[in-house]
mmCIF file of all heavy atoms in Angstrom:
data_model
loop_
_atom_site.group_PDB
_atom_site.id
_atom_site.type_symbol
_atom_site.label_atom_id
_atom_site.label_comp_id
_atom_site.label_asym_id
_atom_site.label_seq_id
_atom_site.Cartn_x
_atom_site.Cartn_y
_atom_site.Cartn_z
ATOM 1 N N PRO A 250 -1.384 -0.930 6.931
ATOM 2 C CA PRO A 250 0.035 -1.200 6.443
ATOM 3 C C PRO A 250 0.692 -2.306 7.118
ATOM 4 O O PRO A 250 1.588 -2.853 6.568
ATOM 5 C CB PRO A 250 0.776 0.126 6.824
ATOM 6 C CG PRO A 250 -0.359 1.156 6.806
ATOM 7 C CD PRO A 250 -1.498 0.365 7.411
ATOM 8 N N ALA A 251 0.210 -2.698 8.275
ATOM 9 C CA ALA A 251 0.940 -3.726 9.065
ATOM 10 C C ALA A 251 0.362 -5.114 8.976
ATOM 11 O O ALA A 251 0.843 -6.081 9.512
ATOM 12 C CB ALA A 251 1.004 -3.326 10.568
ATOM 13 N N THR A 252 -0.726 -5.238 8.169
ATOM 14 C CA THR A 252 -1.453 -6.528 8.099
ATOM 15 C C THR A 252 -1.566 -6.998 6.644
ATOM 16 O O THR A 252 -1.150 -6.218 5.683
ATOM 17 C CB THR A 252 -2.893 -6.403 8.647
ATOM 18 O OG1 THR A 252 -3.647 -5.592 7.874
ATOM 19 C CG2 THR A 252 -2.912 -5.915 10.107
ATOM 20 N N GLY A 253 -2.005 -8.174 6.519
ATOM 21 C CA GLY A 253 -2.228 -8.792 5.122
ATOM 22 C C GLY A 253 -3.558 -8.524 4.522
ATOM 23 O O GLY A 253 -3.952 -9.324 3.685
ATOM 24 N N TYR A 254 -4.112 -7.391 4.834
ATOM 25 C CA TYR A 254 -5.518 -7.118 4.319
ATOM 26 C C TYR A 254 -5.459 -5.823 3.573
ATOM 27 O O TYR A 254 -4.599 -4.951 3.732
ATOM 28 C CB TYR A 254 -6.537 -6.906 5.526
ATOM 29 C CG TYR A 254 -6.756 -8.160 6.360
ATOM 30 C CD1 TYR A 254 -6.101 -8.429 7.523
ATOM 31 C CD2 TYR A 254 -7.689 -9.138 5.852
ATOM 32 C CE1 TYR A 254 -6.397 -9.586 8.291
ATOM 33 C CE2 TYR A 254 -7.886 -10.355 6.553
ATOM 34 C CZ TYR A 254 -7.289 -10.543 7.721
ATOM 35 O OH TYR A 254 -7.475 -11.685 8.403
ATOM 36 N N GLU A 255 -6.461 -5.644 2.721
ATOM 37 C CA GLU A 255 -6.727 -4.446 1.961
ATOM 38 C C GLU A 255 -8.158 -4.191 2.025
ATOM 39 O O GLU A 255 -9.030 -5.009 2.201
ATOM 40 C CB GLU A 255 -6.137 -4.467 0.551
ATOM 41 C CG GLU A 255 -6.817 -5.493 -0.311
ATOM 42 C CD GLU A 255 -6.142 -5.698 -1.630
ATOM 43 O OE1 GLU A 255 -4.997 -5.188 -1.853
ATOM 44 O OE2 GLU A 255 -6.794 -6.280 -2.621
ATOM 45 N N HIS A 256 -8.536 -2.894 1.824
ATOM 46 C CA HIS A 256 -9.909 -2.403 1.758
ATOM 47 C C HIS A 256 -10.640 -3.119 0.614
ATOM 48 O O HIS A 256 -10.168 -3.069 -0.501
ATOM 49 C CB HIS A 256 -9.985 -0.901 1.638
ATOM 50 C CG HIS A 256 -11.223 -0.321 2.155
ATOM 51 N ND1 HIS A 256 -12.464 -0.540 1.458
ATOM 52 C CD2 HIS A 256 -11.533 0.521 3.197
ATOM 53 C CE1 HIS A 256 -13.426 0.076 2.213
ATOM 54 N NE2 HIS A 256 -12.851 0.699 3.164
ATOM 55 N N ALA A 257 -11.862 -3.594 0.804
ATOM 56 C CA ALA A 257 -12.553 -4.263 -0.250
ATOM 57 C C ALA A 257 -13.332 -3.378 -1.157
ATOM 58 O O ALA A 257 -13.855 -3.786 -2.141
ATOM 59 C CB ALA A 257 -13.563 -5.333 0.378
ATOM 60 N N GLY A 258 -13.345 -2.097 -0.741
ATOM 61 C CA GLY A 258 -14.057 -1.096 -1.672
ATOM 62 C C GLY A 258 -15.419 -0.865 -1.408
ATOM 63 O O GLY A 258 -16.134 -0.046 -2.101
ATOM 64 N N GLY A 259 -16.064 -1.617 -0.538
ATOM 65 C CA GLY A 259 -17.473 -1.477 -0.287
ATOM 66 C C GLY A 259 -17.743 -0.394 0.837
ATOM 67 O O GLY A 259 -16.844 0.292 1.235
ATOM 68 N N PRO A 260 -19.017 -0.268 1.244
ATOM 69 C CA PRO A 260 -19.397 0.700 2.272
ATOM 70 C C PRO A 260 -18.618 0.340 3.636
ATOM 71 O O PRO A 260 -18.174 -0.769 3.924
ATOM 72 C CB PRO A 260 -20.836 0.392 2.551
ATOM 73 C CG PRO A 260 -21.384 -0.300 1.294
ATOM 74 C CD PRO A 260 -20.146 -1.096 0.815
ATOM 75 N N GLU A 261 -18.345 1.306 4.301
ATOM 76 C CA GLU A 261 -17.762 1.267 5.684
ATOM 77 C C GLU A 261 -18.704 2.113 6.667
ATOM 78 O O GLU A 261 -19.351 3.029 6.269
ATOM 79 C CB GLU A 261 -16.410 1.705 5.752
ATOM 80 C CG GLU A 261 -16.187 3.082 5.389
ATOM 81 C CD GLU A 261 -14.672 3.529 5.173
ATOM 82 O OE1 GLU A 261 -13.906 2.689 4.545
ATOM 83 O OE2 GLU A 261 -14.250 4.557 5.586
ATOM 84 N N PHE A 262 -18.714 1.646 7.933
ATOM 85 C CA PHE A 262 -19.636 2.360 8.717
ATOM 86 C C PHE A 262 -19.135 2.436 10.208
ATOM 87 O O PHE A 262 -18.295 1.607 10.664
ATOM 88 C CB PHE A 262 -21.054 1.815 8.642
ATOM 89 C CG PHE A 262 -21.265 0.395 9.112
ATOM 90 C CD1 PHE A 262 -21.489 0.135 10.433
ATOM 91 C CD2 PHE A 262 -21.296 -0.562 8.125
ATOM 92 C CE1 PHE A 262 -21.721 -1.257 10.756
ATOM 93 C CE2 PHE A 262 -21.574 -1.881 8.412
ATOM 94 C CZ PHE A 262 -21.797 -2.265 9.765
ATOM 95 N N GLU A 263 -19.643 3.424 10.924
ATOM 96 C CA GLU A 263 -19.508 3.602 12.380
ATOM 97 C C GLU A 263 -20.743 3.080 13.031
ATOM 98 O O GLU A 263 -21.829 3.396 12.508
ATOM 99 C CB GLU A 263 -19.268 5.082 12.700
ATOM 100 C CG GLU A 263 -18.166 5.776 11.803
ATOM 101 C CD GLU A 263 -18.659 7.052 11.145
ATOM 102 O OE1 GLU A 263 -19.636 7.700 11.707
ATOM 103 O OE2 GLU A 263 -18.187 7.404 10.089
ATOM 104 N N LEU A 264 -20.605 2.504 14.110
ATOM 105 C CA LEU A 264 -21.758 1.972 14.948
ATOM 106 C C LEU A 264 -21.745 2.665 16.324
ATOM 107 O O LEU A 264 -20.717 2.587 17.027
ATOM 108 C CB LEU A 264 -21.599 0.488 15.103
ATOM 109 C CG LEU A 264 -22.784 -0.244 15.802
ATOM 110 C CD1 LEU A 264 -22.807 -1.631 15.289
ATOM 111 C CD2 LEU A 264 -22.494 -0.351 17.399
ATOM 112 N N TYR A 265 -22.898 3.326 16.577
ATOM 113 C CA TYR A 265 -22.949 4.061 17.813
ATOM 114 C C TYR A 265 -24.093 3.535 18.716
ATOM 115 O O TYR A 265 -25.215 3.368 18.264
ATOM 116 C CB TYR A 265 -23.383 5.553 17.445
ATOM 117 C CG TYR A 265 -22.270 6.226 16.683
ATOM 118 C CD1 TYR A 265 -22.493 6.532 15.349
ATOM 119 C CD2 TYR A 265 -21.088 6.580 17.272
ATOM 120 C CE1 TYR A 265 -21.515 7.133 14.605
ATOM 121 C CE2 TYR A 265 -20.072 7.285 16.493
ATOM 122 C CZ TYR A 265 -20.340 7.523 15.217
ATOM 123 O OH TYR A 265 -19.313 8.123 14.345
ATOM 124 N N THR A 266 -23.708 3.349 19.988
ATOM 125 C CA THR A 266 -24.752 2.912 21.023
ATOM 126 C C THR A 266 -25.434 4.046 21.559
ATOM 127 O O THR A 266 -24.982 5.134 21.470
ATOM 128 C CB THR A 266 -23.960 2.058 22.140
ATOM 129 O OG1 THR A 266 -22.960 2.877 22.595
ATOM 130 C CG2 THR A 266 -23.397 0.776 21.568
ATOM 131 N N PRO A 267 -26.637 3.857 22.119
ATOM 132 C CA PRO A 267 -27.424 5.006 22.627
ATOM 133 C C PRO A 267 -27.142 5.538 24.012
ATOM 134 O O PRO A 267 -27.997 6.017 24.753
ATOM 135 C CB PRO A 267 -28.853 4.336 22.584
ATOM 136 C CG PRO A 267 -28.678 2.917 22.859
ATOM 137 C CD PRO A 267 -27.377 2.585 22.234
#
Side-chain angles (χ1 to χ4, degrees):
T252 64
Y254 293 100
E255 60 185 20
H256 202 295
E261 60 191 43
F262 61 87
E263 310 126 27
L264 183 150
Y265 298 106
T266 54

